[in-house]
Amino acid sequence: METYLAEWMHIGLRWLHLVTAITWVGSSFYFNRIDRSFRPPEPPIDRVSGHLWSIHGGSIYNYRRYPLGPGFVPGQLKWSKWESMGTWVSGALLLAVIYWWGASVNLLSGSSPLSPASAIGISAVSIVASWFIYDALCKAIANDRILIVVLTIFFGASVWGFSQLFSGKAAYLHTGIAMGTIMAGNVWFVILPGQRRMLKAIDDGTIDDFDVGADAKRRNFHANYLTLPVLFAMIGAHFPITYGHDYGWLAFILISAAGVSIRHFFNTMHAGEAKFGYIALGAAFILATMLLIAPKHLFSERSVSAETVDLARVERIRTERCTPCHAENPTFEGFDEAPKGVTFENLAKMSLLAANIDQQVVLTDTMPPGNLTEMTEKERAVIGEWIAQGAPAE
Ligand code: HEC
């Protein structure tokens, strides 16, 4: 009963998180695109710095940008704020349901130096700390270039540090959460207060002296470039070939660099001077990542030992290390049903999923999660040998 309800909570939160994130990223991309597409109106219009015609869904739209407002506070003013709040809150709840509730399975790896309780504590503290560290860095470093270098090091160190403490997928996820928290924090603690000050200045008639400040501008800029890395963090956490690799943290940094580069291409395109070189640069980062984490046997034949693998041994590994969870009626505490519906009643069933098992058990050690059934390196090698010999069932 409890696991069944937890599954529904999981489905509901994930759905909500996806929808709110789409609205947030969508409106952010949309405004960014409009903003970079604006051209000065011809003939000039009072207080308007940019102008754009657009067509969508059977109507033609006319946008104008008033950097300091139209001279009055519009009666009907649409704000963008609940998208970020909805995404952050649904994400935080999802984190609690999946990674805190299931800490030993999802948060910890087999080699984590932490207990579940201390891992949860570090997870929670890291989220809050990411905002305060970022905010302090923005305030302390006036030079934009230096700030970007420092922030890159900060995120790189985060994913490396998390991967020393947590499971690979939790390391990806927590780095993504740090970025998302920073983006949401920027909206609520910097951008919205700035906008309220702006409206007040319009009301007070002091708007012509108003300056949103360099800080607000660069935070918008950071959010723009963090979007693709955050989205990669979220989906990358579902792919053991990335997070499960020893250099998974480096793969994360390289793919994030690809994301930043691709985002930059779109920014140049919206501004009317597309620089395709940035797409090529992004592709080069992805290619470098593919080479970095390619499994060894990709470029050379996998060596197969002359001796036929001992099936009784494989069978023992199956029942001792896998079927406590992957069975019709799991015996492992906390599992009411086979995870992802994957059951291994016999070797024939395992053989069907050999490629997947190779990925999760031999090439990476993502299975068993947190190495909860204490599989040895020797046993992983036996499974590898069994797969190399064609994963025979008998
Ligand atoms: C402690 C419980 C547990 C044990 C023991 C365990 N698994 Fe898993 N397994 C899981 C969970 C949980 C998932 C789902 C992971 C996810 O959602 O990312 C999973 C997913 C998988 C998948 C991926 C299914 C898919 O298509 O995504 C494979 C393959 C797999 N396990 C193989 C194994 C093998 C082989 C063993 C034994 C060496 C094993 N597992 C031991 C809990 C376990």
Side-chain angles (χ1 to χ4, degrees):
M1 181 71 184
E2 189 190 312
T3 357
Y4 184 66
L5 289 180
E7 275 302 282
W8 275 105
M9 192 149 67
H10 187 162
I11 294 171
L13 283 173
R14 199 174 280 255
W15 197 9
L16 178 66
H17 189 54
L18 203 60
V19 172
T20 49
I22 287 172
T23 60
W24 185 16
V25 174
S27 65
S28 147
F29 274 12
Y30 183 64
F31 272 100
N32 186 64
R33 177 175 158 219
I34 292 182
D35 219 41
R36 286 171 203 270
S37 306
F38 276 133
R39 299 291 171 268
E42 265 318 321
I45 305 170
D46 189 34
R47 306 189 83 85
V48 174
S49 72
H51 170 256
L52 172 75
W53 290 101
S54 177
I55 185 163
H56 181 82
S59 297
I60 290 183
Y61 296 80
N62 181 5
Y63 295 98
R64 291 171 174 188
R65 178 178 56 202
Y66 295 86
L68 295 177
F72 56 92
V73 177
Q76 212 195 22
L77 192 56
K78 284 252 180 285
W79 291 68
S80 302
K81 54 182 173 183
W82 298 116
E83 297 92 329
S84 55
M85 179 63 90
T87 308
W88 193 87
V89 171
S90 57
L93 292 172
L94 210 45
L95 173 77
V97 171
I98 300 173
Y99 286 85
W100 292 358
W101 196 342
S104 55
V105 177
N106 291 316
L107 189 54
L108 295 177
S109 74
S111 54
S112 289
L114 304 169
S115 68
S118 49
I120 293 170
I122 290 177
S123 162
V125 169
S126 75
I127 296 171
V128 181
S130 63
W131 166 254
F132 285 103
I133 294 172
Y134 164 80
D135 193 47
L137 289 173
C138 286
K139 286 175 178 153
I141 303 173
N143 182 307
D144 270 337
R145 278 162 197 263
I146 298 179
L147 179 62
I148 288 170
V149 172
V150 172
L151 288 177
T152 306
I153 295 172
F154 170 65
F155 290 123
S158 299
V159 67
W160 180 83
F162 285 135
S163 70
Q164 306 305 305
L165 300 172
F166 298 157
S167 68
K169 64 178 181 177
Y172 272 32
L173 197 88
H174 279 76
T175 313
I177 293 174
M179 293 172 170
T181 300
I182 286 167
M183 290 160 74
N186 277 339
V187 172
W188 282 82
F189 302 135
V190 180
I191 295 168
L192 292 176
Q195 289 174 349
R196 285 195 200 96
R197 279 197 301 277
M198 180 181 173
L199 294 183
K200 184 163 183 306
I202 295 178
D203 240 0
D204 294 348
T206 55
I207 187 66
D208 287 330
D209 303 322
F210 187 82
D211 181 8
V212 283
D215 205 36
K217 282 184 197 144
R218 69 219 283 232
R219 285 164 192 250
N220 247 330
F221 174 86
H222 297 158
N224 185 272
Y225 286 98
L226 282 177
T227 319
L228 294 193
V230 171
L231 292 177
F232 171 71
M234 301 300 150
I235 59 165
H238 293 275
F239 292 90
I241 59 157
T242 58
Y243 69 74
H245 195 277
D246 285 348
Y247 286 119
W249 58 273
L250 190 52
F252 184 101
I253 295 173
L254 289 172
I255 297 218
S256 297
V260 168
S261 192
I262 292 166
R263 186 77 202 116
H264 188 63
F265 162 75
F266 280 96
N267 286 341
T268 61
M269 187 178 79
H270 298 322
E273 42 188 285
K275 293 191 174 135
F276 286 93
Y278 285 99
I279 287 282
L281 184 62
F285 277 125
I286 291 173
L287 195 64
T289 320
M290 288 170 72
L291 292 172
L292 172 75
I293 62 176
K296 283 186 211 78
H297 64 73
L298 200 65
F299 303 110
S300 57
E301 270 305 307
R302 196 159 176 163
S303 62
V304 183
S305 87
E307 259 173 70
T308 332
V309 70
D310 177 6
L311 285 186
R313 182 111 196 253
V314 179
E315 183 67 29
R316 215 162 43 239
I317 297 174
R318 176 182 75 83
T319 53
E320 284 174 10
R321 313 299 185 204
C322 310
T323 53
C325 299
H326 291 286
E328 218 57 75
N329 295 303
T331 49
F332 204 91
E333 207 190 315
F335 287 85
D336 285 1
E337 281 171 14
K340 293 219 163 165
V342 174
T343 56
F344 296 131
E345 296 95 339
N346 47 44
L347 281 191
K349 204 70 191 285
M350 262 176 95
S351 184
L352 291 174
L353 281 181
N356 199 336
I357 295 174
D358 195 23
Q359 204 51 256
Q360 315 247 2
V361 177
V362 184
L363 301 175
T364 67
D365 55 5
T366 41
M367 268 307 127
N371 203 11
L372 287 172
T373 46
E374 295 172 1
M375 190 164 185
T376 63
E377 283 309 313
K378 203 73 195 283
E379 288 169 334
R380 290 186 196 278
V382 171
I383 296 291
E385 190 58 37
W386 174 66
I387 291 170
Q389 293 183 8
E394 52 194 35

